[in-house]
Amino acid sequence: MDYNFHWRPVFKKLPDLLEAGLLTLEVAMLSMIIGIVIGLLLAISRMSGPKPLRIFATTWVELARNTPVLFQLFFFGFGLGAFGLHLSPYLIVLVGLSFNNAGYLAENFRGGFQAVPDTQLRAARSLGMTATQTYIRIIIPQVLRIVYHPMTNQMVWAVLMSSLGMLVGFRELSGETQFFASQTYRIFEYFAMTALIYYVIVKIVLGVSKLAARRLFRY
Amino acid sequence: MSDSVAFFSEFRATDLLFLGEAAGRTLLISAVSISAGTVLGIVFGWAISASRFWGVMTIGTILDVFRSVPLIIQLVLFYNFFPIIGLNLDPFASGAVVLSIYTAALVAQVARGGIEAVGQPMRRAARSLGMSYWQDLRYVVWPIGLRAVFPAWVGVALSVVKDSALVSVLGYVELLRASQILITRTQEPFIILAAAGAFYFAISYPLSKYSQKLEERWAS
């Protein structure tokens, strides 16, 4: 083994890498928030929407689940270029991840809704609650409890998937790493550090989710 | 005779062949990684469930790292690490190695779930019938556990087919990379991407539906 490891350039850029890590976290969080909202809408319209809406939602879910994420990013990045729509790298990743999250979460939500017994809905309605009230106060809190764990997993996936930003020119943690690595040719060292940062980010996400679960689901 | 070189040219019939070959390469690297990763993953899953403390502490922790670091980072990292230890692997080999370990990390969890789905009373019953440890594994744990987690395994296998697209970052010309090359030449992004997406969809959708059906049938 006649390779000399040079870690100093990596440590010099560590603040930049950590900052890029925050950008990764930001885009993952935003895509999760958008994904949850759209995912809920998709799940509800798949279960009780009019037929065209149901077909639309099903198509979305199946496309998101059955094609590679990278394909989805390329599609939003270059495919839409055919219609003269050019998104910035940040938007490509945000839109692509939101599309993917919404598809996966919609399936989780659907499972969650089906796990809440119908009697809950009927009981709430017979107490005089409106349909909207029933959903917001009775059904969704129970669904949230069921889908909390899958949602945490999806958040971890969102963090990991955002690394594909590297391939569409987005300078989040991976893109930034590649940029620095190609400047110095210390590819192994930079990517080892980035792997460590991703590991820490994922552990933080899981830890925060565990703490939040303890507060949210006390009863 | 024209003196200008055509940078962009239309989509030709031979391009379909190019895409087809690339799709074959996607299938090849997926098949290799899924087979190797499944075997490794079952061994790891068994080791973790057989020795709870040490298994989780050693193999469990290492596999957890592979699940917590983006695949694309793992690919670049190992592709640049192999030459350091004196191995000169081509993009296919290093891609297949990394993808196999990644698959093993996912399958280990599934396998562990399958083994734990069998339950201690059943296994004690098997042992008290005079079966050896390996007979118990082969004739009791394997058939019951397989049923419990087969749909989950199909899910993992399909996600590996989709994730194999990332090996393109090492320069391995699989389907998505090939479509990108064609897009650069033909400037026809929508149709080519749609074709590539349709290929993945055509593999993934029927299999995922099938495993869903199996899951429903076996659950009842």
mmCIF file with all atom_site columns, all heavy atoms in Angstrom, chain A residues 70 160-167 174 191 198, chain B residues 69-78 98 166-170:
data_model
loop_
_atom_site.group_PDB
_atom_site.id
_atom_site.type_symbol
_atom_site.label_atom_id
_atom_site.label_alt_id
_atom_site.label_comp_id
_atom_site.label_asym_id
_atom_site.label_entity_id
_atom_site.label_seq_id
_atom_site.pdbx_PDB_ins_code
_atom_site.Cartn_x
_atom_site.Cartn_y
_atom_site.Cartn_z
_atom_site.occupancy
_atom_site.B_iso_or_equiv
_atom_site.pdbx_formal_charge
_atom_site.auth_seq_id
_atom_site.auth_comp_id
_atom_site.auth_asym_id
_atom_site.auth_atom_id
_atom_site.pdbx_PDB_model_num
ATOM 1   N N   . LEU A 1 70  ? -33.366 8.483  -9.155  1.00 0.00 ? 70  LEU A N   1
ATOM 2   C CA  . LEU A 1 70  ? -32.492 9.223  -10.062 1.00 0.00 ? 70  LEU A CA  1
ATOM 3   C C   . LEU A 1 70  ? -33.225 9.527  -11.366 1.00 0.00 ? 70  LEU A C   1
ATOM 4   O O   . LEU A 1 70  ? -33.112 10.617 -11.921 1.00 0.00 ? 70  LEU A O   1
ATOM 5   C CB  . LEU A 1 70  ? -31.226 8.406  -10.337 1.00 0.00 ? 70  LEU A CB  1
ATOM 6   C CG  . LEU A 1 70  ? -30.160 9.102  -11.167 1.00 0.00 ? 70  LEU A CG  1
ATOM 7   C CD1 . LEU A 1 70  ? -29.758 10.410 -10.523 1.00 0.00 ? 70  LEU A CD1 1
ATOM 8   C CD2 . LEU A 1 70  ? -28.947 8.217  -11.344 1.00 0.00 ? 70  LEU A CD2 1
ATOM 9   N N   . LEU A 1 160 ? -30.965 10.592 2.494   1.00 0.00 ? 160 LEU A N   1
ATOM 10  C CA  . LEU A 1 160 ? -30.057 9.798  1.657   1.00 0.00 ? 160 LEU A CA  1
ATOM 11  C C   . LEU A 1 160 ? -30.271 10.095 0.175   1.00 0.00 ? 160 LEU A C   1
ATOM 12  O O   . LEU A 1 160 ? -29.318 10.196 -0.591  1.00 0.00 ? 160 LEU A O   1
ATOM 13  C CB  . LEU A 1 160 ? -30.261 8.299  1.930   1.00 0.00 ? 160 LEU A CB  1
ATOM 14  C CG  . LEU A 1 160 ? -30.003 7.834  3.362   1.00 0.00 ? 160 LEU A CG  1
ATOM 15  C CD1 . LEU A 1 160 ? -30.096 6.324  3.452   1.00 0.00 ? 160 LEU A CD1 1
ATOM 16  C CD2 . LEU A 1 160 ? -28.642 8.284  3.848   1.00 0.00 ? 160 LEU A CD2 1
ATOM 17  N N   . MET A 1 161 ? -31.535 10.249 -0.211  1.00 0.00 ? 161 MET A N   1
ATOM 18  C CA  . MET A 1 161 ? -31.818 10.479 -1.635  1.00 0.00 ? 161 MET A CA  1
ATOM 19  C C   . MET A 1 161 ? -31.315 11.844 -2.094  1.00 0.00 ? 161 MET A C   1
ATOM 20  O O   . MET A 1 161 ? -30.965 12.012 -3.253  1.00 0.00 ? 161 MET A O   1
ATOM 21  C CB  . MET A 1 161 ? -33.333 10.402 -1.897  1.00 0.00 ? 161 MET A CB  1
ATOM 22  C CG  . MET A 1 161 ? -33.884 8.995  -1.876  1.00 0.00 ? 161 MET A CG  1
ATOM 23  S SD  . MET A 1 161 ? -35.602 8.958  -2.414  1.00 0.00 ? 161 MET A SD  1
ATOM 24  C CE  . MET A 1 161 ? -36.427 9.879  -1.140  1.00 0.00 ? 161 MET A CE  1
ATOM 25  N N   . SER A 1 162 ? -31.297 12.812 -1.166  1.00 0.00 ? 162 SER A N   1
ATOM 26  C CA  . SER A 1 162 ? -30.878 14.154 -1.572  1.00 0.00 ? 162 SER A CA  1
ATOM 27  C C   . SER A 1 162 ? -29.438 14.131 -2.070  1.00 0.00 ? 162 SER A C   1
ATOM 28  O O   . SER A 1 162 ? -29.008 15.043 -2.768  1.00 0.00 ? 162 SER A O   1
ATOM 29  C CB  . SER A 1 162 ? -31.023 15.128 -0.412  1.00 0.00 ? 162 SER A CB  1
ATOM 30  O OG  . SER A 1 162 ? -30.048 14.853 0.566   1.00 0.00 ? 162 SER A OG  1
ATOM 31  N N   . SER A 1 163 ? -28.687 13.066 -1.742  1.00 0.00 ? 163 SER A N   1
ATOM 32  C CA  . SER A 1 163 ? -27.307 12.979 -2.214  1.00 0.00 ? 163 SER A CA  1
ATOM 33  C C   . SER A 1 163 ? -27.240 12.912 -3.731  1.00 0.00 ? 163 SER A C   1
ATOM 34  O O   . SER A 1 163 ? -26.204 13.198 -4.322  1.00 0.00 ? 163 SER A O   1
ATOM 35  C CB  . SER A 1 163 ? -26.641 11.745 -1.619  1.00 0.00 ? 163 SER A CB  1
ATOM 36  O OG  . SER A 1 163 ? -27.272 10.584 -2.094  1.00 0.00 ? 163 SER A OG  1
ATOM 37  N N   . LEU A 1 164 ? -28.361 12.533 -4.362  1.00 0.00 ? 164 LEU A N   1
ATOM 38  C CA  . LEU A 1 164 ? -28.366 12.473 -5.828  1.00 0.00 ? 164 LEU A CA  1
ATOM 39  C C   . LEU A 1 164 ? -28.295 13.857 -6.441  1.00 0.00 ? 164 LEU A C   1
ATOM 40  O O   . LEU A 1 164 ? -28.084 13.997 -7.643  1.00 0.00 ? 164 LEU A O   1
ATOM 41  C CB  . LEU A 1 164 ? -29.625 11.756 -6.325  1.00 0.00 ? 164 LEU A CB  1
ATOM 42  C CG  . LEU A 1 164 ? -29.763 10.326 -5.809  1.00 0.00 ? 164 LEU A CG  1
ATOM 43  C CD1 . LEU A 1 164 ? -31.002 9.693  -6.364  1.00 0.00 ? 164 LEU A CD1 1
ATOM 44  C CD2 . LEU A 1 164 ? -28.545 9.521  -6.203  1.00 0.00 ? 164 LEU A CD2 1
ATOM 45  N N   . GLY A 1 165 ? -28.467 14.886 -5.597  1.00 0.00 ? 165 GLY A N   1
ATOM 46  C CA  . GLY A 1 165 ? -28.293 16.259 -6.069  1.00 0.00 ? 165 GLY A CA  1
ATOM 47  C C   . GLY A 1 165 ? -26.950 16.436 -6.767  1.00 0.00 ? 165 GLY A C   1
ATOM 48  O O   . GLY A 1 165 ? -26.812 17.220 -7.699  1.00 0.00 ? 165 GLY A O   1
ATOM 49  N N   . MET A 1 166 ? -25.970 15.651 -6.309  1.00 0.00 ? 166 MET A N   1
ATOM 50  C CA  . MET A 1 166 ? -24.638 15.650 -6.912  1.00 0.00 ? 166 MET A CA  1
ATOM 51  C C   . MET A 1 166 ? -24.692 15.463 -8.423  1.00 0.00 ? 166 MET A C   1
ATOM 52  O O   . MET A 1 166 ? -23.895 16.039 -9.152  1.00 0.00 ? 166 MET A O   1
ATOM 53  C CB  . MET A 1 166 ? -23.858 14.512 -6.265  1.00 0.00 ? 166 MET A CB  1
ATOM 54  C CG  . MET A 1 166 ? -22.472 14.285 -6.719  1.00 0.00 ? 166 MET A CG  1
ATOM 55  S SD  . MET A 1 166 ? -21.746 13.052 -5.614  1.00 0.00 ? 166 MET A SD  1
ATOM 56  C CE  . MET A 1 166 ? -21.334 11.776 -6.757  1.00 0.00 ? 166 MET A CE  1
ATOM 57  N N   . LEU A 1 167 ? -25.644 14.653 -8.903  1.00 0.00 ? 167 LEU A N   1
ATOM 58  C CA  . LEU A 1 167 ? -25.685 14.315 -10.328 1.00 0.00 ? 167 LEU A CA  1
ATOM 59  C C   . LEU A 1 167 ? -26.492 15.313 -11.142 1.00 0.00 ? 167 LEU A C   1
ATOM 60  O O   . LEU A 1 167 ? -26.524 15.229 -12.369 1.00 0.00 ? 167 LEU A O   1
ATOM 61  C CB  . LEU A 1 167 ? -26.269 12.906 -10.523 1.00 0.00 ? 167 LEU A CB  1
ATOM 62  C CG  . LEU A 1 167 ? -25.464 11.789 -9.873  1.00 0.00 ? 167 LEU A CG  1
ATOM 63  C CD1 . LEU A 1 167 ? -26.134 10.454 -10.101 1.00 0.00 ? 167 LEU A CD1 1
ATOM 64  C CD2 . LEU A 1 167 ? -24.050 11.767 -10.415 1.00 0.00 ? 167 LEU A CD2 1
ATOM 65  N N   . SER A 1 174 ? -23.322 16.167 -0.849  1.00 0.00 ? 174 SER A N   1
ATOM 66  C CA  . SER A 1 174 ? -22.591 15.344 -1.820  1.00 0.00 ? 174 SER A CA  1
ATOM 67  C C   . SER A 1 174 ? -22.005 16.183 -2.945  1.00 0.00 ? 174 SER A C   1
ATOM 68  O O   . SER A 1 174 ? -20.863 15.978 -3.359  1.00 0.00 ? 174 SER A O   1
ATOM 69  C CB  . SER A 1 174 ? -23.515 14.290 -2.412  1.00 0.00 ? 174 SER A CB  1
ATOM 70  O OG  . SER A 1 174 ? -24.009 13.487 -1.412  1.00 0.00 ? 174 SER A OG  1
ATOM 71  N N   . PHE A 1 191 ? -14.808 11.823 0.553   1.00 0.00 ? 191 PHE A N   1
ATOM 72  C CA  . PHE A 1 191 ? -16.047 11.035 0.606   1.00 0.00 ? 191 PHE A CA  1
ATOM 73  C C   . PHE A 1 191 ? -16.154 10.251 1.905   1.00 0.00 ? 191 PHE A C   1
ATOM 74  O O   . PHE A 1 191 ? -17.253 9.977  2.374   1.00 0.00 ? 191 PHE A O   1
ATOM 75  C CB  . PHE A 1 191 ? -16.178 10.137 -0.629  1.00 0.00 ? 191 PHE A CB  1
ATOM 76  C CG  . PHE A 1 191 ? -16.741 10.868 -1.802  1.00 0.00 ? 191 PHE A CG  1
ATOM 77  C CD1 . PHE A 1 191 ? -15.924 11.565 -2.657  1.00 0.00 ? 191 PHE A CD1 1
ATOM 78  C CD2 . PHE A 1 191 ? -18.111 10.898 -2.018  1.00 0.00 ? 191 PHE A CD2 1
ATOM 79  C CE1 . PHE A 1 191 ? -16.443 12.273 -3.722  1.00 0.00 ? 191 PHE A CE1 1
ATOM 80  C CE2 . PHE A 1 191 ? -18.644 11.602 -3.083  1.00 0.00 ? 191 PHE A CE2 1
ATOM 81  C CZ  . PHE A 1 191 ? -17.807 12.292 -3.936  1.00 0.00 ? 191 PHE A CZ  1
ATOM 82  N N   . TYR A 1 198 ? -23.034 12.093 6.864   1.00 0.00 ? 198 TYR A N   1
ATOM 83  C CA  . TYR A 1 198 ? -24.365 11.534 6.587   1.00 0.00 ? 198 TYR A CA  1
ATOM 84  C C   . TYR A 1 198 ? -24.806 10.626 7.730   1.00 0.00 ? 198 TYR A C   1
ATOM 85  O O   . TYR A 1 198 ? -25.951 10.657 8.156   1.00 0.00 ? 198 TYR A O   1
ATOM 86  C CB  . TYR A 1 198 ? -24.359 10.740 5.276   1.00 0.00 ? 198 TYR A CB  1
ATOM 87  C CG  . TYR A 1 198 ? -24.692 11.572 4.068   1.00 0.00 ? 198 TYR A CG  1
ATOM 88  C CD1 . TYR A 1 198 ? -23.737 11.831 3.110   1.00 0.00 ? 198 TYR A CD1 1
ATOM 89  C CD2 . TYR A 1 198 ? -25.965 12.102 3.899   1.00 0.00 ? 198 TYR A CD2 1
ATOM 90  C CE1 . TYR A 1 198 ? -24.031 12.602 2.005   1.00 0.00 ? 198 TYR A CE1 1
ATOM 91  C CE2 . TYR A 1 198 ? -26.269 12.859 2.801   1.00 0.00 ? 198 TYR A CE2 1
ATOM 92  C CZ  . TYR A 1 198 ? -25.290 13.114 1.853   1.00 0.00 ? 198 TYR A CZ  1
ATOM 93  O OH  . TYR A 1 198 ? -25.597 13.870 0.767   1.00 0.00 ? 198 TYR A OH  1
ATOM 94  N N   . VAL B 2 69  ? -25.665 5.517  5.081   1.00 0.00 ? 69  VAL B N   1
ATOM 95  C CA  . VAL B 2 69  ? -24.854 6.363  4.201   1.00 0.00 ? 69  VAL B CA  1
ATOM 96  C C   . VAL B 2 69  ? -25.418 6.205  2.796   1.00 0.00 ? 69  VAL B C   1
ATOM 97  O O   . VAL B 2 69  ? -25.721 5.088  2.381   1.00 0.00 ? 69  VAL B O   1
ATOM 98  C CB  . VAL B 2 69  ? -23.371 5.935  4.258   1.00 0.00 ? 69  VAL B CB  1
ATOM 99  C CG1 . VAL B 2 69  ? -22.562 6.676  3.230   1.00 0.00 ? 69  VAL B CG1 1
ATOM 100 C CG2 . VAL B 2 69  ? -22.812 6.166  5.645   1.00 0.00 ? 69  VAL B CG2 1
ATOM 101 N N   . PRO B 2 70  ? -25.599 7.314  2.067   1.00 0.00 ? 70  PRO B N   1
ATOM 102 C CA  . PRO B 2 70  ? -26.174 7.199  0.723   1.00 0.00 ? 70  PRO B CA  1
ATOM 103 C C   . PRO B 2 70  ? -25.371 6.248  -0.158  1.00 0.00 ? 70  PRO B C   1
ATOM 104 O O   . PRO B 2 70  ? -24.143 6.241  -0.087  1.00 0.00 ? 70  PRO B O   1
ATOM 105 C CB  . PRO B 2 70  ? -26.094 8.623  0.177   1.00 0.00 ? 70  PRO B CB  1
ATOM 106 C CG  . PRO B 2 70  ? -25.955 9.496  1.351   1.00 0.00 ? 70  PRO B CG  1
ATOM 107 C CD  . PRO B 2 70  ? -25.301 8.701  2.424   1.00 0.00 ? 70  PRO B CD  1
ATOM 108 N N   . LEU B 2 71  ? -26.076 5.477  -0.954  1.00 0.00 ? 71  LEU B N   1
ATOM 109 C CA  . LEU B 2 71  ? -25.421 4.490  -1.811  1.00 0.00 ? 71  LEU B CA  1
ATOM 110 C C   . LEU B 2 71  ? -24.393 5.139  -2.723  1.00 0.00 ? 71  LEU B C   1
ATOM 111 O O   . LEU B 2 71  ? -23.316 4.590  -2.973  1.00 0.00 ? 71  LEU B O   1
ATOM 112 C CB  . LEU B 2 71  ? -26.483 3.760  -2.633  1.00 0.00 ? 71  LEU B CB  1
ATOM 113 C CG  . LEU B 2 71  ? -25.985 2.665  -3.551  1.00 0.00 ? 71  LEU B CG  1
ATOM 114 C CD1 . LEU B 2 71  ? -25.254 1.598  -2.773  1.00 0.00 ? 71  LEU B CD1 1
ATOM 115 C CD2 . LEU B 2 71  ? -27.130 2.050  -4.310  1.00 0.00 ? 71  LEU B CD2 1
ATOM 116 N N   . ILE B 2 72  ? -24.726 6.333  -3.209  1.00 0.00 ? 72  ILE B N   1
ATOM 117 C CA  . ILE B 2 72  ? -23.835 6.972  -4.176  1.00 0.00 ? 72  ILE B CA  1
ATOM 118 C C   . ILE B 2 72  ? -22.494 7.318  -3.530  1.00 0.00 ? 72  ILE B C   1
ATOM 119 O O   . ILE B 2 72  ? -21.430 7.197  -4.149  1.00 0.00 ? 72  ILE B O   1
ATOM 120 C CB  . ILE B 2 72  ? -24.541 8.218  -4.761  1.00 0.00 ? 72  ILE B CB  1
ATOM 121 C CG1 . ILE B 2 72  ? -23.848 8.678  -6.016  1.00 0.00 ? 72  ILE B CG1 1
ATOM 122 C CG2 . ILE B 2 72  ? -24.632 9.340  -3.788  1.00 0.00 ? 72  ILE B CG2 1
ATOM 123 C CD1 . ILE B 2 72  ? -24.666 9.665  -6.794  1.00 0.00 ? 72  ILE B CD1 1
ATOM 124 N N   . ILE B 2 73  ? -22.543 7.699  -2.226  1.00 0.00 ? 73  ILE B N   1
ATOM 125 C CA  . ILE B 2 73  ? -21.305 7.990  -1.498  1.00 0.00 ? 73  ILE B CA  1
ATOM 126 C C   . ILE B 2 73  ? -20.515 6.698  -1.321  1.00 0.00 ? 73  ILE B C   1
ATOM 127 O O   . ILE B 2 73  ? -19.288 6.667  -1.501  1.00 0.00 ? 73  ILE B O   1
ATOM 128 C CB  . ILE B 2 73  ? -21.632 8.599  -0.118  1.00 0.00 ? 73  ILE B CB  1
ATOM 129 C CG1 . ILE B 2 73  ? -22.454 9.871  -0.276  1.00 0.00 ? 73  ILE B CG1 1
ATOM 130 C CG2 . ILE B 2 73  ? -20.373 8.875  0.672   1.00 0.00 ? 73  ILE B CG2 1
ATOM 131 C CD1 . ILE B 2 73  ? -21.701 11.032 -0.801  1.00 0.00 ? 73  ILE B CD1 1
ATOM 132 N N   . GLN B 2 74  ? -21.211 5.603  -0.973  1.00 0.00 ? 74  GLN B N   1
ATOM 133 C CA  . GLN B 2 74  ? -20.531 4.312  -0.816  1.00 0.00 ? 74  GLN B CA  1
ATOM 134 C C   . GLN B 2 74  ? -19.839 3.915  -2.111  1.00 0.00 ? 74  GLN B C   1
ATOM 135 O O   . GLN B 2 74  ? -18.705 3.428  -2.101  1.00 0.00 ? 74  GLN B O   1
ATOM 136 C CB  . GLN B 2 74  ? -21.531 3.219  -0.447  1.00 0.00 ? 74  GLN B CB  1
ATOM 137 C CG  . GLN B 2 74  ? -22.181 3.400  0.898   1.00 0.00 ? 74  GLN B CG  1
ATOM 138 C CD  . GLN B 2 74  ? -23.223 2.321  1.150   1.00 0.00 ? 74  GLN B CD  1
ATOM 139 O OE1 . GLN B 2 74  ? -23.077 1.194  0.691   1.00 0.00 ? 74  GLN B OE1 1
ATOM 140 N NE2 . GLN B 2 74  ? -24.262 2.655  1.879   1.00 0.00 ? 74  GLN B NE2 1
ATOM 141 N N   . LEU B 2 75  ? -20.539 4.115  -3.228  1.00 0.00 ? 75  LEU B N   1
ATOM 142 C CA  . LEU B 2 75  ? -19.973 3.715  -4.520  1.00 0.00 ? 75  LEU B CA  1
ATOM 143 C C   . LEU B 2 75  ? -18.690 4.474  -4.809  1.00 0.00 ? 75  LEU B C   1
ATOM 144 O O   . LEU B 2 75  ? -17.657 3.878  -5.125  1.00 0.00 ? 75  LEU B O   1
ATOM 145 C CB  . LEU B 2 75  ? -21.002 3.949  -5.630  1.00 0.00 ? 75  LEU B CB  1
ATOM 146 C CG  . LEU B 2 75  ? -22.142 2.939  -5.706  1.00 0.00 ? 75  LEU B CG  1
ATOM 147 C CD1 . LEU B 2 75  ? -23.264 3.462  -6.569  1.00 0.00 ? 75  LEU B CD1 1
ATOM 148 C CD2 . LEU B 2 75  ? -21.627 1.618  -6.249  1.00 0.00 ? 75  LEU B CD2 1
ATOM 149 N N   . VAL B 2 76  ? -18.750 5.810  -4.689  1.00 0.00 ? 76  VAL B N   1
ATOM 150 C CA  . VAL B 2 76  ? -17.564 6.611  -4.982  1.00 0.00 ? 76  VAL B CA  1
ATOM 151 C C   . VAL B 2 76  ? -16.445 6.270  -4.008  1.00 0.00 ? 76  VAL B C   1
ATOM 152 O O   . VAL B 2 76  ? -15.280 6.118  -4.388  1.00 0.00 ? 76  VAL B O   1
ATOM 153 C CB  . VAL B 2 76  ? -17.908 8.112  -4.913  1.00 0.00 ? 76  VAL B CB  1
ATOM 154 C CG1 . VAL B 2 76  ? -16.665 8.943  -5.147  1.00 0.00 ? 76  VAL B CG1 1
ATOM 155 C CG2 . VAL B 2 76  ? -18.961 8.456  -5.938  1.00 0.00 ? 76  VAL B CG2 1
ATOM 156 N N   . LEU B 2 77  ? -16.819 6.109  -2.732  1.00 0.00 ? 77  LEU B N   1
ATOM 157 C CA  . LEU B 2 77  ? -15.831 5.834  -1.697  1.00 0.00 ? 77  LEU B CA  1
ATOM 158 C C   . LEU B 2 77  ? -15.084 4.536  -1.988  1.00 0.00 ? 77  LEU B C   1
ATOM 159 O O   . LEU B 2 77  ? -13.856 4.492  -1.993  1.00 0.00 ? 77  LEU B O   1
ATOM 160 C CB  . LEU B 2 77  ? -16.541 5.753  -0.349  1.00 0.00 ? 77  LEU B CB  1
ATOM 161 C CG  . LEU B 2 77  ? -15.687 5.763  0.907   1.00 0.00 ? 77  LEU B CG  1
ATOM 162 C CD1 . LEU B 2 77  ? -14.902 7.051  0.984   1.00 0.00 ? 77  LEU B CD1 1
ATOM 163 C CD2 . LEU B 2 77  ? -16.572 5.636  2.138   1.00 0.00 ? 77  LEU B CD2 1
ATOM 164 N N   . PHE B 2 78  ? -15.824 3.470  -2.260  1.00 0.00 ? 78  PHE B N   1
ATOM 165 C CA  . PHE B 2 78  ? -15.162 2.183  -2.463  1.00 0.00 ? 78  PHE B CA  1
ATOM 166 C C   . PHE B 2 78  ? -14.437 2.128  -3.802  1.00 0.00 ? 78  PHE B C   1
ATOM 167 O O   . PHE B 2 78  ? -13.394 1.501  -3.915  1.00 0.00 ? 78  PHE B O   1
ATOM 168 C CB  . PHE B 2 78  ? -16.167 1.034  -2.349  1.00 0.00 ? 78  PHE B CB  1
ATOM 169 C CG  . PHE B 2 78  ? -16.439 0.670  -0.928  1.00 0.00 ? 78  PHE B CG  1
ATOM 170 C CD1 . PHE B 2 78  ? -17.573 1.131  -0.279  1.00 0.00 ? 78  PHE B CD1 1
ATOM 171 C CD2 . PHE B 2 78  ? -15.537 -0.102 -0.216  1.00 0.00 ? 78  PHE B CD2 1
ATOM 172 C CE1 . PHE B 2 78  ? -17.805 0.812  1.047   1.00 0.00 ? 78  PHE B CE1 1
ATOM 173 C CE2 . PHE B 2 78  ? -15.766 -0.419 1.101   1.00 0.00 ? 78  PHE B CE2 1
ATOM 174 C CZ  . PHE B 2 78  ? -16.903 0.035  1.732   1.00 0.00 ? 78  PHE B CZ  1
ATOM 175 N N   . VAL B 2 98  ? -20.132 -3.203 -4.121  1.00 0.00 ? 98  VAL B N   1
ATOM 176 C CA  . VAL B 2 98  ? -20.804 -2.256 -3.216  1.00 0.00 ? 98  VAL B CA  1
ATOM 177 C C   . VAL B 2 98  ? -22.303 -2.538 -3.170  1.00 0.00 ? 98  VAL B C   1
ATOM 178 O O   . VAL B 2 98  ? -22.912 -2.573 -2.092  1.00 0.00 ? 98  VAL B O   1
ATOM 179 C CB  . VAL B 2 98  ? -20.532 -0.806 -3.659  1.00 0.00 ? 98  VAL B CB  1
ATOM 180 C CG1 . VAL B 2 98  ? -21.322 0.165  -2.797  1.00 0.00 ? 98  VAL B CG1 1
ATOM 181 C CG2 . VAL B 2 98  ? -19.060 -0.490 -3.573  1.00 0.00 ? 98  VAL B CG2 1
ATOM 182 N N   . LEU B 2 166 ? -27.601 4.010  -9.858  1.00 0.00 ? 166 LEU B N   1
ATOM 183 C CA  . LEU B 2 166 ? -26.559 4.883  -9.308  1.00 0.00 ? 166 LEU B CA  1
ATOM 184 C C   . LEU B 2 166 ? -25.162 4.444  -9.709  1.00 0.00 ? 166 LEU B C   1
ATOM 185 O O   . LEU B 2 166 ? -24.220 5.214  -9.609  1.00 0.00 ? 166 LEU B O   1
ATOM 186 C CB  . LEU B 2 166 ? -26.656 4.917  -7.785  1.00 0.00 ? 166 LEU B CB  1
ATOM 187 C CG  . LEU B 2 166 ? -27.981 5.403  -7.224  1.00 0.00 ? 166 LEU B CG  1
ATOM 188 C CD1 . LEU B 2 166 ? -27.881 5.618  -5.740  1.00 0.00 ? 166 LEU B CD1 1
ATOM 189 C CD2 . LEU B 2 166 ? -28.383 6.690  -7.892  1.00 0.00 ? 166 LEU B CD2 1
ATOM 190 N N   . VAL B 2 167 ? -25.012 3.193  -10.148 1.00 0.00 ? 167 VAL B N   1
ATOM 191 C CA  . VAL B 2 167 ? -23.681 2.724  -10.539 1.00 0.00 ? 167 VAL B CA  1
ATOM 192 C C   . VAL B 2 167 ? -23.175 3.534  -11.734 1.00 0.00 ? 167 VAL B C   1
ATOM 193 O O   . VAL B 2 167 ? -21.982 3.564  -12.003 1.00 0.00 ? 167 VAL B O   1
ATOM 194 C CB  . VAL B 2 167 ? -23.714 1.208  -10.836 1.00 0.00 ? 167 VAL B CB  1
ATOM 195 C CG1 . VAL B 2 167 ? -22.355 0.681  -11.197 1.00 0.00 ? 167 VAL B CG1 1
ATOM 196 C CG2 . VAL B 2 167 ? -24.217 0.461  -9.622  1.00 0.00 ? 167 VAL B CG2 1
ATOM 197 N N   . SER B 2 168 ? -24.100 4.223  -12.406 1.00 0.00 ? 168 SER B N   1
ATOM 198 C CA  . SER B 2 168 ? -23.682 5.066  -13.535 1.00 0.00 ? 168 SER B CA  1
ATOM 199 C C   . SER B 2 168 ? -22.646 6.095  -13.106 1.00 0.00 ? 168 SER B C   1
ATOM 200 O O   . SER B 2 168 ? -21.851 6.537  -13.917 1.00 0.00 ? 168 SER B O   1
ATOM 201 C CB  . SER B 2 168 ? -24.898 5.771  -14.126 1.00 0.00 ? 168 SER B CB  1
ATOM 202 O OG  . SER B 2 168 ? -25.509 6.564  -13.152 1.00 0.00 ? 168 SER B OG  1
ATOM 203 N N   . VAL B 2 169 ? -22.621 6.442  -11.815 1.00 0.00 ? 169 VAL B N   1
ATOM 204 C CA  . VAL B 2 169 ? -21.681 7.461  -11.355 1.00 0.00 ? 169 VAL B CA  1
ATOM 205 C C   . VAL B 2 169 ? -20.235 6.973  -11.491 1.00 0.00 ? 169 VAL B C   1
ATOM 206 O O   . VAL B 2 169 ? -19.305 7.777  -11.589 1.00 0.00 ? 169 VAL B O   1
ATOM 207 C CB  . VAL B 2 169 ? -21.998 7.885  -9.889  1.00 0.00 ? 169 VAL B CB  1
ATOM 208 C CG1 . VAL B 2 169 ? -21.519 6.864  -8.907  1.00 0.00 ? 169 VAL B CG1 1
ATOM 209 C CG2 . VAL B 2 169 ? -21.378 9.218  -9.591  1.00 0.00 ? 169 VAL B CG2 1
ATOM 210 N N   . LEU B 2 170 ? -20.041 5.652  -11.560 1.00 0.00 ? 170 LEU B N   1
ATOM 211 C CA  . LEU B 2 170 ? -18.691 5.121  -11.738 1.00 0.00 ? 170 LEU B CA  1
ATOM 212 C C   . LEU B 2 170 ? -18.331 4.988  -13.215 1.00 0.00 ? 170 LEU B C   1
ATOM 213 O O   . LEU B 2 170 ? -17.232 4.587  -13.551 1.00 0.00 ? 170 LEU B O   1
ATOM 214 C CB  . LEU B 2 170 ? -18.571 3.734  -11.081 1.00 0.00 ? 170 LEU B CB  1
ATOM 215 C CG  . LEU B 2 170 ? -18.953 3.651  -9.612  1.00 0.00 ? 170 LEU B CG  1
ATOM 216 C CD1 . LEU B 2 170 ? -18.720 2.241  -9.092  1.00 0.00 ? 170 LEU B CD1 1
ATOM 217 C CD2 . LEU B 2 170 ? -18.148 4.639  -8.795  1.00 0.00 ? 170 LEU B CD2 1
#
